[in-house]
Amino acid sequence: MSDIIQLLPDHVANQIAAGEVVQRPASVVKELLENSIDAGASCIKLILKDAGKTLIQVIDDGKGMSVTDARLSFERHATSKIRAAEDLFQLHTKGFRGEALASIAAIAHVEMKTKQEDQELGTHLKIEGSKVTYQEMASTPTGTSISVKNLFYNIPARRNFLKSDTVETRHIIDEFQRISLAHPEITFSLHHNSNEVYRLSESNLRKRVVSIFGSKMNEKLVPIEEETEMISISGFVAKPEYAKKKRGEQFFFVNDRFVKSPYLHHAVVAAFDGLLEQGSHPSYFLYLKVPTKSIDINIHPTKTEVKFDDEKALYAILRATVKHSLGQYSIAPVLDFNRDSNLDTPYDFSKKTSVPSTPKITVDPTFNPFKTETKRESSSSVGSTYVPKKETTSWESLYVATEEKVEQEDLFETTSEHHQANKTFQIQKKYLLSSIKSGVVLIHQSLAHQRVLYEEFLESITVKEVSSQQLLFPITISFSSAEIETIYTLKSDLESVGFDFDEFTKESVTIKGTPPSISESKITNVLEELLANVDLDVPDTNYNPFDVMAKSFAKSLAIKTGTYLSQKEQENLVNNLFSCKEPSIAPDGRATFKTLTLNEIDQLFQG
């Protein structure tokens, strides 16, 4: 029998490696930016076209490469960071994969210009699908410029799986933010389709955070600082009152590398215990320095996960540090034994000459807690009056509601006597219970309202003529630069559903008109919900901005759990839900109602 195992050709091996290294344009951005940082650059420029699908260019003023290094950098397993296996556990640099440039060159057109400071001329390389098509000496500044064009040009199936430009740009901005937050000492800039999104000058950490997330962030930050033998912690957490409904500005950096750690995230959330509203998420920018031997950063292909030697100790230190800082800045409640002026004797009262008399207390000497209570005559005296409890037959009667009507209203929340025979009841201000011929139907009021609003919005967007209600006074809403960029890319779509924009700046947007169904007080919530939904991984072929908008509007404007509904409102919601084209499914795919048949109910009570 002939041999069947064979070695893969290099270009095929590179394409397979590219599957691990390059999932999307943001993956290329991460690799190139990290290489520039490792090259000692003090200024890095990122240029994008069409969310990186057409062009990703990174220009730095680092130390550059020699002719030999420039060529070797595109070979597999080529790295300047590792000489032996032990080096993997003593890494202080970022780009140590050894597959990155080779993988990128296998699936794109790559052009590189690089020069070292002591050279008169640099090297100019062009590579297409792992093949070097051009190599010459060239006049170029000290440093390196790499252009990656037509990503996935030779793997159309992979290109088809990329998301919309808006979503891919959001992923690139996420990577850019993480890297620029880790290195405030470096100047960064980001240009997308000739539009400058960021220009971040060399600064300290606080200024870097503010320059990325907007000037209003400055007042929200609480500094964190702790130094132990095991770990050094610095950075900021946002004050609890600025917590967000969506997880967003949460950054952990270990040895200047962005990481994701659910375990350490839990430690931070635990420090905010009792300070956050239900469903709110704290923002934080935390920098941890640990000995390189105590962590393993190489456990995941994207190197965003990390494994620590002693996680329990780190958890305790981090939680205590954040909690201490919140208390130190009078954000968390702390014990204070200083005199509280609010407890002083009031000024007017201190002038009075009369001394208040001490009230007298009368105790019933015949009272026995272990006996059944009986009616007694009330006795009165100067200080207080003893009023015996109403006679009860046993201690269990203490758990009986004082009025049966109150109990009925709390369970079913009916509104008037003539509605008692109605088939719809509200339970715990969350569900609607409705009787049907075959049993009962339990409806989730918020999800049901989302379905109703979703279909109404889609109808108004696609069928009805679009109208806009002009605001009496235009309102200006603050966002981060990245969020402004996203809203701007959706500007024409938002205008087509009724929004009317007045002005865009780097940190705010002014709105002078909205769709008639959106009140002025809801505009911020609607746009924040839209920004969160844009991040959904929707394939480019099926991406529909109007559908995303309809889902966002419906979710942000629907009645919430905890909202009381009158009998009329309950009936309207039920009728509107079952008038929908798809009444059983909420816009996010969850069920809007569940049905219990009489047989299923009977089975609940069978022994």
Side-chain angles (χ1 to χ4, degrees), residues 61-72:
D61 62 352
K63 58 189 177 185
M65 286 181 275
S66 66
V67 179
T68 306
D69 285 348
R71 187 67 181 260
L72 274 177

Side-chain angles (χ1 to χ4, degrees), residues 40-265:
S42 61
C43 181
I44 302 173
K45 187 175 185 179
L46 172 61
I47 300 170
L48 305 170
K49 282 187 182 175
D50 304 325
K53 297 172 185 176
T54 303
L55 172 69
I56 300 169
Q57 184 176 10
V58 173
I59 305 169
D60 69 56
D61 62 352
K63 58 189 177 185
M65 286 181 275
S66 66
V67 179
T68 306
D69 285 348
R71 187 67 181 260
L72 274 177
S73 65
F74 289 97
E75 297 296 329
R76 292 189 69 209
H77 307 304
T79 177
S80 62
K81 318 293 167 41
I82 301 168
R83 293 289 181 267
E86 291 76 18
D87 294 342
L88 284 169
F89 299 97
Q90 298 184 29
L91 289 163
H92 299 276
T93 54
K94 298 176 183 298
F96 57 87
R97 189 192 306 276
E99 301 279 348
L101 290 181
S103 300
I104 293 168
I107 53 173
H109 296 154
V110 178
E111 183 176 355
M112 181 168 74
K113 293 180 181 179
T114 184
K115 184 179 86 72
Q116 293 178 323
E117 191 172 8
D118 57 355
Q119 294 176 328
E120 288 188 14
L121 292 174
T123 305
H124 186 187
L125 275 175
K126 290 183 182 179
I127 301 175
E128 295 180 7
S130 296
K131 294 181 180 178
V132 177
T133 60
Y134 179 88
Q135 179 175 344
E136 292 291 341
M137 305 297 285
S139 178
T140 183
T142 299
T144 302
S145 169
I146 297 185
S147 299
V148 178
K149 302 174 184 176
N150 306 319
L151 195 63
F152 298 126
Y153 80 98
N154 53 353
I155 314 179
R158 288 291 300 275
R159 192 174 178 89
N160 289 339
F161 274 93
L162 293 178
K163 312 301 186 267
S164 68
D165 282 5
T166 304
V167 173
E168 294 299 344
T169 301
R170 179 70 245 182
H171 283 286
I172 290 173
I173 288 176
D174 284 346
E175 290 293 351
F176 181 85
Q177 287 179 349
R178 293 165 181 174
I179 290 171
S180 57
L181 281 170
H183 297 277
E185 75 282 358
I186 298 175
T187 298
F188 287 92
S189 64
L190 168 57
H191 294 76
H192 184 218
N193 292 341
S194 302
N195 177 40
E196 184 178 270
V197 182
Y198 284 113
R199 180 172 290 278
L200 309 174
S201 302
E202 176 188 353
S203 62
N204 58 32
L205 179 55
R206 190 183 195 105
K207 287 181 180 177
R208 177 57 56 91
V209 171
V210 171
S211 62
I212 291 175
F213 295 102
S215 54
K216 289 197 172 181
M217 178 61 77
N218 193 38
E219 64 191 63
K220 304 177 185 178
L221 299 178
V222 176
I224 303 290
E225 198 72 46
E226 185 63 58
E227 187 96 32
T228 70
E229 290 182 2
M230 181 182 294
I231 187 172
S232 169
I233 304 172
S234 60
F236 303 93
V237 295
K239 296 173 184 175
E241 61 263 35
Y242 297 109
K244 294 192 169 185
K245 295 296 181 185
K246 301 286 180 185
R247 286 194 184 187
E249 294 141 10
Q250 297 178 341
F251 296 88
F252 273 119
F253 299 92
V254 175
N255 295 352
D256 293 333
R257 179 188 293 276
F258 172 81
V259 298
K260 295 175 182 175
S261 174
Y263 190 70
L264 295 184
H265 167 77

Side-chain angles (χ1 to χ4, degrees), residues 16 42 59 133 148 195 255 303 462 511 536 582 594:
I16 293 171
S42 61
I59 305 169
T133 60
V148 178
N195 177 40
N255 295 352
K303 298 183 173 46
T462 56
I511 299 169
L536 290 174
E582 295 284 348
K594 293 286 184 182

Side-chain angles (χ1 to χ4, degrees), residues 230 263-264 294 307-317:
M230 181 182 294
Y263 190 70
L264 295 184
S294 69
K307 193 170 182 64
F308 296 94
D309 266 357
D310 193 346
E311 284 191 329
K312 288 185 179 179
L314 291 182
Y315 182 101
I317 294 170

